[in-house]
Amino acid sequence: MTFENKLKKKLINRKKVLGCWTSLDNEITSEILANVGFDFLLIDHEHGYGDARGITRQLQSLKQTECSALVRMPNDDEVYVKKSLDTGVNCLMFPAVNTKKDAENIVEMCRYAPGGYRGMAPGMIRATNYGMDVKNYFEKIEKELLIVCQIETAEGVSNIEDIGKIDGVDMLFIGPMDLSTSINKFGKFEDPMFLDTIEKAKEKIFKTGKFSGIIPYGKFSWQELLNEGFDLTTAGTEISILRDATMSILDDFKKLK
């Protein structure tokens, strides 16, 4: 098993990266999207389907590609994080990180002692090639790990500077939908209050020196967001791509009747 974090390497080399959000817990779909050429698949375990075995299947489907798996945790659940890392995934996203303390705890649950409290099972996990490459894994995992903290609330925006100071936090990622909801402006992406809030978030994140991420929202496409200076974004979800493409086909078909 290779331990190199391809996504993190691209970001360090200042390359813009584009991914696809996935939630269907399907290794065949993931394999197709990876072979198309996305830099990463954002495997959603907050709202999407799946479990640790599903992560393993999808990692296996990406094995021969240049596409990385970025797995979004349901929350900062120590057991779920541990089981996810044990599969061999090295990119994790955490939703609704609001404080410095939240970020510190996230980093610590991802690291082995003395830097954290991740539990050890070196002889039985996929991450160590089932015990056949323990030394290599333990020497490299902390360096190769990519930890993404989502900024999705007004509280999170107010604490971006402090969150960005935490060693081990690699990226700050804006969640526009939850951010708009947190200020009682659900989906109102043109509202002055939302525009002011998200602009503050962008400026603060860029100043931290951490990698930056966001998803398309309102009138902003993935192209425009990358041009604005973000390092990472997505081109939609596998569900939206499937839904919109098939709806378009059927709309054209109905016009023939």
Side-chain angles (χ1 to χ4, degrees), residues 47-197:
H47 296 292
Y49 305 95
D51 52 23
R53 180 170 289 192
I55 295 173
T56 299
R57 291 196 305 266
Q58 291 184 78
L59 287 176
Q60 290 169 334
S61 76
L62 304 184
K63 196 172 181 180
Q64 302 303 319
T65 76
E66 291 300 309
C67 184
S68 299
L70 170 58
V71 183
R72 180 159 77 159
M73 297 290 95
N75 52 32
D76 57 350
D77 180 320
E78 175 193 351
V79 174
Y80 207 98
V81 169
K82 176 169 51 181
K83 289 174 74 69
S84 298
L85 289 170
D86 285 352
T87 68
V89 70
N90 53 15
C91 303
L92 292 183
M93 172 183 279
F94 293 84
V97 180
N98 292 322
T99 67
K100 177 182 178 181
K101 185 177 180 180
D102 290 344
E104 288 174 333
N105 185 49
I106 284 165
V107 172
E108 288 173 7
M109 71 174 60
C110 291
R111 288 179 171 175
Y112 292 112
Y117 56 89
R118 177 184 170 190
M120 297 186 69
M124 60 181 285
I125 60 175
R126 182 177 182 271
T128 63
N129 199 19
Y130 305 101
M132 290 181 275
D133 210 352
V134 175
K135 184 175 183 293
N136 194 22
Y137 180 73
F138 283 107
E139 286 178 349
K140 293 184 177 181
I141 182 55
E142 190 169 310
K143 178 183 176 184
E144 296 297 329
L145 193 61
L146 180 77
I147 296 177
V148 180
C149 290
Q150 284 193 270
I151 305 300
E152 302 187 280
T153 66
E155 182 183 10
V157 173
S158 69
N159 290 317
I160 284 173
E161 293 94 341
D162 288 337
I163 295 169
K165 291 176 183 176
I166 303 304
D167 176 55
V169 172
D170 299 289
M171 177 180 289
L172 299 172
F173 186 107
I174 298 174
M177 188 60 75
D178 279 304
L179 183 56
S180 71
T181 305
S182 82
I183 59 173
N184 199 29
K185 300 293 181 181
F186 168 64
K188 297 178 180 178
F189 299 131
E190 299 300 322
D191 185 278
M193 185 176 177
F194 172 78
L195 291 172
D196 180 64
T197 303

